[in-house]
Amino acid sequence: MAIKEIIYKEKIFKLSYELYNPNAQKAILILHGWGSNKEIMKQAFDKRFEEYCVVYLDLPGFGGSSNDMILTTVDYASIVQLFIETVGVNPTVIMGHSFGGKVATLLNPPCLVLLSSAGVVTKKPWSVKLKIATFKFLKPLGMKKIRELFVAPDAQGMSHEMYETFKNVVDEDFEDNFAQSKSRALCFWGKEDTATPLYTGEKIANLIKNSKFYPLDGDHFFFLANAQFIADEIKKDLD
């Protein structure tokens, strides 16, 4: 594991990453989803791309990477771009799971790999709407423990900065960004995914002009059981 310091908007970000085969001709940058870190991506794709330079990165605020700033997805993409330039890697492929898929899309790589990417707004269940309405009603009363009762599981235990960041990115409509993408895209999705349902993947694949869509068995973390197939399809695309 290595740490690279990046200065963005006068803030220092210490980014934790691992880099393999730095002298390989083609490079792959792999980004995890919200609430996760590079370790789960390594668990899936370790030794799947031995002929390529592979970079696993902890996004700011996750794993071993620091963050004390309220960010947007655009900020994340800008920070990752600075990281790429500082490390001196020019990735042919950027792969992103869930939230990482939105960041990857903004980076406009030659080959974009989306694993159950976020970015299509879905209707909230009634129970979630009720929690939101109740929280908004009780918040002015100054009840400090209320937030802990009503925040989403993905937001529990966060710092103030990361919670505000979560609110910035959780229900983002990225359809225009997908439609404007110039990347060649490979979109892999879990058929049983409930966090980013299969129909959202089909929609994203239709929005990106040059794309292929692969529905695979599994839930939001389907890639753990399908990593070899995903790696093989990426290699075919790169050949």
Side-chain angles (χ1 to χ4, degrees):
M1 184 185 75
I3 298 289
K4 183 65 66 175
E5 286 194 358
I6 302 295
I7 298 176
Y8 175 71
K9 293 186 177 179
E10 301 182 347
K11 292 279 190 178
I12 295 175
F13 293 83
K14 295 182 179 180
L15 302 183
S16 175
Y17 70 101
E18 294 189 28
L19 187 154
Y20 299 89
N21 303 325
N23 297 320
Q25 186 176 4
K26 294 179 180 178
I28 300 174
L29 172 63
I30 301 179
L31 305 176
H32 60 83
W34 187 270
S36 188
N37 57 56
K38 65 181 180 296
E39 297 305 318
I40 194 169
M41 308 311 289
K42 278 181 59 186
Q43 181 183 338
F45 296 104
D46 186 34
K47 299 181 180 178
R48 309 279 187 188
F49 298 103
E50 291 192 329
E51 63 270 46
Y52 301 97
C53 171
V54 182
V55 184
Y56 296 97
L57 174 66
D58 280 336
L59 292 169
F62 302 103
S65 293
S66 67
N67 177 45
D68 58 0
M69 179 179 171
I70 298 170
L71 301 172
T72 65
T73 305
V74 171
D75 290 323
Y76 271 96
S78 298
I79 292 166
V80 174
Q81 182 61 46
L82 287 171
F83 166 81
I84 289 169
E85 294 168 2
T86 303
V87 174
V89 173
N90 184 23
T92 303
V93 179
I94 302 182
M95 177 194 300
H97 172 233
S98 197
F99 170 68
K102 294 196 297 182
V103 178
T105 299
L106 291 179
L107 292 167
N108 287 306
C111 180
L112 172 66
V113 177
L114 300 179
L115 309 177
S116 280
S117 177
V120 172
V121 178
T122 58
K123 292 183 178 180
K124 291 183 177 70
W126 178 84
S127 59
V128 174
K129 291 181 180 179
L130 178 62
K131 283 186 177 183
I132 292 171
T134 306
F135 173 64
K136 287 181 177 178
F137 174 73
L138 294 173
K139 185 179 179 182
L141 301 180
M143 300 173 69
K144 295 180 180 179
K145 294 293 182 181
I146 291 298
R147 175 180 173 274
E148 296 176 10
L149 297 175
F150 291 99
V151 295
D154 282 346
Q156 290 175 358
M158 289 181 188
S159 67
H160 167 72
E161 290 78 12
M162 289 304 293
Y163 180 61
E164 292 301 318
T165 296
F166 174 73
K167 291 196 295 184
N168 282 341
V169 307
V170 65
D171 281 330
E172 239 171 352
D173 185 346
F174 243 58
E175 291 188 25
D176 286 345
N177 300 92
F178 293 126
Q180 293 166 15
S181 173
K182 304 299 183 189
S183 301
R184 185 174 69 259
L186 305 179
C187 305
F188 300 91
W189 238 261
K191 294 178 183 176
E192 292 79 44
D193 193 334
T194 56
T196 53
L198 187 65
Y199 77 86
T200 67
E202 294 170 339
K203 188 168 191 175
I204 289 170
N206 286 329
L207 287 168
I208 300 175
K209 295 177 180 63
N210 186 7
S211 67
K212 295 179 182 178
F213 186 66
Y214 303 84
L216 300 172
D217 291 336
D219 58 16
H220 195 53
F221 293 90
F222 73 99
F223 60 88
L224 289 168
N226 294 281
Q228 189 60 59
F229 174 81
I230 294 168
D232 289 343
E233 290 302 307
I234 294 170
K235 291 174 188 177
K236 286 180 189 177
D237 187 81
L238 294 177
D239 289 342

